[in-house]
Amino acid sequence: MPRTTLLRQLLQQRHLTTHEAFAAQYERAAARLAELDRDPRLASLQVSPRQFDRWYGGELLTLPRPDACRVLEHMLGRPVSELFSTAYDGDSAHDRDEGPSTRRQVTSAPPPREDDENPLDIVAQTRQLTGSNTDDATLAFLDSSLEGIASRYEQDGPYALRPQARQVRQLAHTLLNGRQPPRTRRDLFRVAARASGLLGYMAVNTGDFALSEAYCTEARDLSREIGDLDTDLWACGTLSFSLYYAGRYDEADACAAAAVERAPRHAQCIRLLANGRARALGKTGDRRAVEQTIGQALRLSDLHEVPVGLTSCISFEPYGRARTLANAVTSHVALVNTTQVLRNAEHIDDLVEHSTSSWSRSLVRLDVATALLQQCTPDIDQAMALGREALQLCGETPISSVYQRSRDLHEQAGPWRDHPAVRDYGDEFRTWSSQPAALAMASSAS
């Protein structure tokens, strides 16, 4: 005889005792739940006649699959642990029809289990704790999306890739509003943190420093929740990067220094030292501290055997040696240490010129151009030629660092404004900076 469960009683009350009637209602509930939970997989759920017969007859050893449980709970408004439990009704016809011998058997039966010992309840609770709205394929897709954004960043730029990064972040946040086991939830936190970090970096390149600070803070806080030191230190480095381009040099140095203190030998500290501390210290004029910090970054590079070449500017990987030296060039420009600028730039020239990073080639040219104007005998023609090349390399994908340095070069060339090469550079700079993106950076800088 079929076991009388709460599900069976509810289906009888709602006249859903045939497979056809139940399946139609079940599929409508699945479609509604898919829309409410933003989980399109649910919309395709169906129930077979055999499944219906087992559910209706209470013939279950374990509960249905997690997605089916979610639809049943949405459809009937009760937890599955209750739906598949036996429904007791002392006034049922079955109880009244039982003979004395049956009642004596019930009386002599072992005492019932406590409510919390119901096997189906235990199974249901375990399913709820281990159930997840995220599978390995979804996590792999999110990870590969972030890797794709980072690998294409220097070719496509922030404006083209920002929408995709926002979508990854939004999907990670949506999934985190659901239920996952600890391992999966940790992976989602990491994806959300890195998506925010990429958006923070992009915001620096578009000149929106307040937005960058918000994204970087989110990336740092999310990564700390799961103890992801690698992403945490990278987010701190990007926050320092943002503070630097916002002109807040003391804060940029303090932010990077605090992160280095937490894990002095970590590979991410190469970036924190070279990009965060050294450049900010150069702006404050602390020559000795700049030398010490660059030396520390290079020794750490030897310890971790980082790539020799120019790594991607937005990569989560440790800084390569060429990028560390490129940051040293920028630090020495601020200190008007012309000899060191030209020596370091020559050392990495071949690596920079053979890289795919047009922004890096542009920025090194602007640093060298500035150094050529700082010499005792300025080389105006060569400096302005490098300035024009830098603008042409950046083309239609301006970023705030190129805008700031090309603007500074234009201002530094002011004493020679009547020189033909300076006039030519000025004309090219005004044309290049009239792009909408560059105009937005100019407005932010002012």
Side-chain angles (χ1 to χ4, degrees):
M1 179 176 177
R3 189 164 61 90
T4 303
T5 60
L6 178 60
L7 181 137
R8 184 182 182 89
Q9 286 188 345
L10 291 174
L11 295 189
Q12 289 171 347
Q13 292 170 9
R14 301 183 187 194
H15 306 290
L16 299 175
T17 56
T18 65
H19 171 257
E20 291 76 12
F22 175 83
Q25 191 81 356
Y26 180 87
E27 289 168 18
R28 283 195 291 270
R32 287 196 303 272
L33 186 59
E35 185 176 353
L36 288 171
D37 286 3
R38 297 181 180 178
D39 189 349
R41 298 178 304 109
L42 298 177
S44 62
L45 292 183
Q46 295 179 327
V47 60
S48 69
R50 174 59 183 152
Q51 283 176 306
F52 172 72
D53 289 343
R54 290 176 60 241
W55 294 355
Y56 187 63
E59 303 170 10
L60 292 177
L61 295 177
T62 62
L63 291 177
R65 293 181 179 274
D67 286 343
C69 289
R70 291 167 63 192
V71 175
L72 286 170
E73 289 177 343
H74 179 70
M75 176 179 170
L76 299 172
R78 302 291 286 272
V80 287
S81 57
E82 294 181 16
L83 291 174
F84 289 101
S85 294
T86 300
Y88 296 102
D89 183 354
D91 294 328
S92 67
H94 175 65
D95 288 338
R96 289 193 300 269
D97 290 342
E98 286 180 341
S101 62
T102 304
R103 285 196 294 273
R104 280 194 298 272
Q105 289 175 3
V106 172
T107 302
S108 62
R113 297 185 181 97
E114 298 292 334
D115 287 343
D116 60 358
E117 290 183 315
N118 186 315
L120 283 174
D121 284 345
I122 295 170
V123 172
Q125 289 162 4
T126 304
R127 283 287 183 90
Q128 287 178 340
L129 290 173
T130 60
S132 178
N133 63 349
T134 309
D135 55 21
D136 289 341
T138 302
L139 287 170
F141 169 76
L142 292 172
D143 277 331
S144 66
S145 296
L146 293 180
E147 290 173 6
I149 291 168
S151 67
R152 302 197 315 273
Y153 186 68
E154 296 200 26
Q155 286 72 50
D156 297 347
Y159 296 100
L161 293 172
R162 188 167 51 184
Q164 184 179 347
R166 284 174 176 164
Q167 288 175 342
V168 173
R169 174 180 175 270
Q170 181 58 52
L171 179 54
H173 279 237
T174 299
L175 292 171
L176 282 169
N177 284 328
R179 179 185 289 123
Q180 310 88 27
R183 176 189 63 81
T184 303
R185 193 162 184 82
R186 185 186 187 282
D187 290 341
L188 279 175
F189 260 81
R190 182 175 181 273
V191 167
R194 292 200 163 197
S196 295
L198 292 179
L199 286 165
Y201 195 102
M202 292 180 192
V204 179
N205 285 163
T206 59
D208 196 336
F209 305 118
L211 183 63
S212 175
E213 188 169 352
Y215 276 132
C216 290
T217 301
E218 177 177 274
R220 183 195 64 194
D221 291 351
L222 291 177
S223 56
R224 287 184 182 178
E225 281 294 321
I226 57 171
D228 182 359
L229 183 61
D230 199 56
T231 305
D232 177 0
L233 295 179
W234 187 93
C236 291
T238 305
L239 179 56
S240 175
F241 173 66
S242 177
L243 293 167
Y244 174 85
Y245 278 107
R248 297 157 61 182
Y249 304 122
D250 288 333
E251 292 175 72
D253 176 43
C255 176
V260 171
E261 284 183 11
R262 293 178 55 219
R265 295 170 67 85
H266 197 283
Q268 286 292 341
C269 289
I270 301 168
R271 176 174 180 246
L272 285 160
L273 291 164
N275 186 269
R277 295 212 65 197
R279 299 195 312 165
L281 289 166
K283 287 291 188 179
T284 63
D286 194 336
R287 186 180 300 269
R288 183 179 178 183
V290 167
E291 294 287 357
Q292 290 176 339
T293 303
I294 292 171
Q296 189 179 351
L298 291 173
R299 287 192 296 274
L300 200 54
S301 298
D302 291 337
L303 180 65
H304 288 281
E305 298 182 353
V306 298
V308 174
L310 198 69
T311 48
S312 169
C313 67
I314 203 170
S315 172
F316 288 101
E317 298 301 315
Y319 252 29
R321 181 173 289 272
R323 191 161 290 284
T324 298
L325 290 174
N327 280 271
V329 168
T330 305
S331 304
H332 288 300
V333 167
L335 295 169
V336 197
N337 192 353
T338 306
T339 302
Q340 192 66 46
V341 170
L342 298 178
R343 183 184 300 129
N344 284 350
E346 184 178 2
H347 186 69
I348 61 173
D349 180 69
D350 188 61
L351 293 171
V352 171
E353 290 308 300
H354 287 88
S355 77
T356 59
S357 173
S358 58
W359 293 332
S360 296
R361 283 180 279 158
S362 176
L363 290 167
V364 171
R365 278 170 168 76
L366 289 167
D367 280 343
V368 172
T370 301
L372 291 173
L373 290 183
Q374 293 172 343
Q375 295 180 118
C376 295
T377 305
D379 189 341
I380 300 170
D381 289 325
Q382 179 63 9
M384 296 300 98
L386 288 172
R388 290 196 302 275
E389 286 179 18
L391 295 176
Q392 291 160 8
L393 280 168
C394 208
E396 297 179 356
T397 55
I399 56 174
S400 59
S401 51
V402 173
Y403 171 78
Q404 287 191 17
R405 290 191 215 177
S406 59
R407 178 202 60 195
D408 292 347
L409 179 64
H410 184 245
E411 292 174 356
Q412 189 167 345
W416 302 281
R417 64 177 57 88
D418 293 331
H419 193 290
V422 175
R423 287 200 301 269
D424 290 345
Y425 175 73
D427 291 341
E428 189 144 358
F429 173 71
R430 280 186 288 273
T431 300
W432 180 84
S433 59
S434 65
Q435 299 176 76
L439 287 173
M441 292 170 198
S443 174
S444 175
S446 64

